[in-house]
Amino acid sequence: MLTPIRCSDAITRCSYCAVRAHRLHLRSLRLHSTEAPRSQEAATETRRNYPGTRSLGLTGKRSEFRPRDGEGRTRRSESKFGSGGNGSRRVVLDNASPIRKVSGRGYELPSGVVEKQWDKKPATFSEALQTRLTVMKEELKDAPVIERMRRDAKAEGRNADSFPQLWKSFLLESGLWSISKGGVPFEGLALKGRAEGASVIDDLRDAFRAQGQRGLDNRIKYAFYGHITGARFTDSELANQQAVADLRYPSEWYPATRTLQRVIHLHVGPTNSGKTYHALKRLEEAEKGVYAGPLRLLAHEVYTRMNARGKICALVTGEERRVPEAVKDAEGYLTSCTVEMVPLNMHLDVAVIDEIQMIGSNDRGWAWTQALLGLKAKEVHLCGEERTVPLIREIAASLGEKLVIHHYKRLSPLQIADQSLNGNLKDLRKGDCIVSFSVIGIHALRKQIERDTGRK
């Protein structure tokens, strides 16, 4: 349970600030309590200490303490503040108010109300860091990870480092030791230590700028946990982890796939040129294969087409999974899925990856990269635009795999109409193409065309 910060005998010069501070204090008593009895106790204590005070209202042009029923207001004092004239507001105080005017000093706040420090400048990063290091040292002393390390050391028959030793080593290696003692960063550190600690200091400074004290506390925790966890690994173990996490060379990914000698077929051409049709014809001839498309709608279309032609085909997307009963007894079957759901651990005869130009997408490009590099298929058919040829050629060369490029031309010409339909869909003729830029727009146009023309 959190306890609100208390400050007795707080003084403020502004009566409105005094009212607002007391209102925030009452609110903190409710918000900082995680137990219902504690909240009721706080409310009872407030009514006992400040009899006559029922609620605080700060809405509208007039803000006042409202007494409980049956208790009248015997004294009123008013204080104007603000810009004056029509722009000024009033705070009405009475004998039930816990705020007292102190002669020559301003308005005195009750015990437990924290004064708003309007004139105090915000703490600098160095000041905040020095303060939070002291606070976090006490908080992390009993962290669960420390207790777990002690249990592990006891089970292994060795002595665990004490928390002061861990904290001191963390401060020394991260360049925070001198700051915790009121000095400057990296004081007394060698050049290597300064380079390692600079990243920690930069992370803490960025967190403080973005989220203030809360962000600084979180980054100190993460940095400390990372230090004590990483200290348990040897140099060889750390080097091995860095090698595994090194993703600079995609041609070395998926070593099981690299043992296969695949053939990549790249089908390129404009829309309605037959590139996907020819790739799917090859998929129909395969015993085991997969189709990977960018949309669930396309995956469902291929799933329906393959099953209609007597091929056992399963549908796997992020939203649904349809696996026919015949799959259990079949030696091989086809799978139609969205590109994020491709089976990388399955040996296949043919794999079709549609819309390969999406490999350049900042959001979903990883899925096409994963499918192209990881699918264990004898033949990989890629369908996309002409502009993808240089990139796919370079990837195939880095993988040492054969690339066959198939170029297609548009089967039927596409020309823009000379005149607009002006919203009259009845003037549509057979062979017309209507373009929409959203799924909702496509379905809305389809329904409207069917309603107005009777065609599908």
Side-chain angles (χ1 to χ4, degrees), residues 423-438:
N424 186 10
L425 298 179
K426 294 182 179 180
D427 292 340
L428 285 173
R429 294 178 296 180
K430 185 177 181 180
D432 286 349
C433 175
I434 300 177
V435 180
S436 180
F437 297 96
S438 68

Side-chain angles (χ1 to χ4, degrees), residues 329-369:
D329 302 328
E331 295 182 359
Y333 62 94
L334 306 181
T335 302
S336 180
C337 61
T338 48
V339 69
E340 288 85 357
M341 306 298 291
V342 290
L344 298 177
N345 297 323
M346 184 182 297
H347 287 274
L348 306 169
D349 296 325
V350 177
V352 177
I353 305 175
D354 206 358
E355 304 297 342
I356 189 59
Q357 70 275 1
M358 290 286 289
I359 197 173
S361 171
N362 292 331
D363 298 325
R364 300 181 63 194
W366 64 268
W368 275 265
T369 304

Side-chain angles (χ1 to χ4, degrees), residues 94 117 186 219 230 245 262 272 286 304 306 310 313 338 356 404 420 425:
D94 59 13
Q117 302 291 338
F186 317 124
R219 292 308 304 172
R262 305 185 306 174
N272 194 27
T304 305
M306 294 300 173
C313 184
T338 48
I356 189 59
V404 180
S420 172
L425 298 179

Side-chain angles (χ1 to χ4, degrees), residues 12 17 98 104 122 153 164 167 193 234 252 275 281 364 366 375 408:
T12 179
C17 295
W167 184 256
T234 63
E252 298 179 0
K275 54 184 183 296
K281 290 292 291 183
R364 300 181 63 194
W366 64 268
L375 277 172
Y408 299 88

